[in-house]
Amino acid sequence: MKITLTLNGSKVTHDVEPRETLADFVRDRCGLTATHLGCEHGACGACTVVLDGEVTRACLMLAVMCDGRTVETLEGFRNHPAMEVIRKHFHECHGLQCGFCTPGMLLMARDILARKPGCDADTVRYELSGQICRCTGYSGIVKSIVSAGQELAGKAPAKA
Ligand code: FES
Ligand code: FES
């Protein structure tokens, strides 16, 4: 089936298999490998993308379901102002170890801080409950998001 969607701001058209997932579509057809595949059944969040503005598990969506819709992967946030702040705090607060979960964590962090600006650690832990870090680096991840949220909300000066 031929589908056309807006991917990171550009229209893309491809022939896809009816059973092809959105995750395989962005990785294998479009070369956007920031979207990782871990569990492939909706449990880990490694495949998180943004579909029509909502964070979504790309392993649970079929590419054909995204025809005519808007998809953003982490690559699309390269120059996004809030994401730049979030990336900086992940770096400073040791928010990653192997990095496998990191693309999903970054997209989820941006979503959490957009909905709950400057939220506290308990809120971040609750909101992140669907994202798995196989390295169990949760304390650094939570600290990174809280810290980024404080900077974005103007609650604390940026760290050096
Ligand atoms: S790979 Fe999609 S949720 Fe784990
Ligand atoms: S940093 Fe390794 S899976 Fe999270």
Side-chain angles (χ1 to χ4, degrees), residues 50-67:
V50 181
L51 175 63
D52 291 337
E54 301 280 340
V55 282
T56 301
R57 312 222 138 173
C59 71
L60 295 183
M61 292 294 299
L62 295 174
V64 292
M65 296 163 73
C66 301
D67 188 26

Side-chain angles (χ1 to χ4, degrees), residues 53-134:
E54 301 280 340
V55 282
T56 301
R57 312 222 138 173
C59 71
L60 295 183
M61 292 294 299
L62 295 174
V64 292
M65 296 163 73
C66 301
D67 188 26
R69 300 175 74 179
T70 298
V71 176
E72 295 162 284
T73 65
L74 184 63
E75 289 92 340
F77 289 86
R78 189 168 284 126
N79 300 314
H80 187 281
M83 190 62 89
E84 285 184 11
V85 172
I86 294 166
R87 280 198 308 261
K88 181 184 77 168
H89 286 271
F90 266 70
H91 176 71
E92 291 179 352
C93 302
H94 307 291
L96 68 155
Q97 294 179 51
C98 78
F100 188 84
C101 69
T102 309
M105 292 290 184
L106 290 170
L107 286 176
M108 199 63 210
R110 188 206 66 90
D111 182 72
I112 293 168
L113 296 178
R115 288 184 289 107
K116 304 192 171 178
C119 59
D120 63 14
D122 283 345
T123 303
V124 171
R125 277 189 209 99
Y126 177 80
E127 293 285 335
L128 270 189
S129 58
Q131 307 290 123
I132 291 175
C133 173
R134 291 154 181 82

Side-chain angles (χ1 to χ4, degrees), residues 132-147:
I132 291 175
C133 173
R134 291 154 181 82
C135 300
T136 67
Y138 297 105
S139 80
I141 293 167
V142 171
K143 191 173 169 194
S144 303
I145 298 172
V146 171
S147 176

